[in-house]
């Protein structure tokens, strides 16, 4: 018998892209199907929360000695902020689409938005590798 461990199957670029898009669409579907508006939407809330999350994520990068330069932290912060802001904008945007056409429209919106975010993260992941 061989002591070699069996390697997991590789999916290639297309499989990875498909996983990102399907995962984003599934999360979007979930966020649309179970949405119930309980407050007024706030763009200021999106900006504040996404900035706070990106700042926290960037501060965690300070643990790594090689990433402590402003040249590495600033692009990381901006990418993290963009990712959080896009996700939170979708969550706040549900209010508008719910008022526009109820649960079916908000579900369609979040499903498509989730698939789009999947594409965004697939491109970002490919860029980082």
């Amino acid at each position: 018998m061989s002591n070699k461990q069996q390697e997991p199957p590789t999916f290639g670029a297309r499989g990875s892209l498909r996983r990102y898009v399907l995962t984003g669409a599934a999360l979007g579907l979930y966020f649309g199907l179970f949405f119930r508006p309980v407050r007024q939407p706030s763009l200021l809330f999106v900006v504040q929360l996404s900035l706070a999350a990106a700042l926290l994520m960037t501060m965690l990068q300070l643990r790594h000695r090689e990433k402590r330069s402003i040249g590495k932290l600033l692009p990381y912060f901006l990418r993290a902020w963009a990712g959080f802001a896009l996700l939170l904008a979708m969550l706040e945007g549900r209010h508008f689409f719910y008022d526009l056409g109820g649960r079916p429209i908000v579900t369609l919106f979040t499903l498509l938005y989730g698939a789009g975010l999947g594409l965004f993260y697939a491109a970002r992941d490919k860029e980082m590798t």
Side-chain angles (χ1 to χ4, degrees), residues 11-70:
F11 296 100
R14 289 187 68 197
S16 179
L17 175 65
R18 188 176 305 132
R19 277 195 319 266
Y20 274 101
V21 172
L22 288 176
T23 300
L27 287 170
L29 182 65
Y30 171 80
F31 281 122
L33 285 175
F34 298 104
F35 175 67
R36 288 191 197 136
V38 294
R39 61 174 177 78
Q40 292 298 316
S42 170
L43 190 57
L44 182 61
F45 179 71
V46 168
V47 172
Q48 290 173 334
L49 193 56
S50 63
L51 284 173
L55 184 61
L56 177 65
M57 294 294 293
T58 304
M59 290 178 71
L60 288 174
Q61 294 300 307
L62 293 174
R63 295 177 300 159
H64 306 287
R65 198 173 297 247
E66 67 277 359
K67 295 182 181 178
R68 290 185 183 168
S69 71
I70 191 74

Side-chain angles (χ1 to χ4, degrees), residues 10 23 30-31 41 56-57 87 94 98 116 120 127:
T10 57
T23 300
Y30 171 80
F31 281 122
L56 177 65
M57 294 294 293
L87 177 64
R94 296 179 302 174
Y98 190 84
F120 171 78
E127 179 183 296

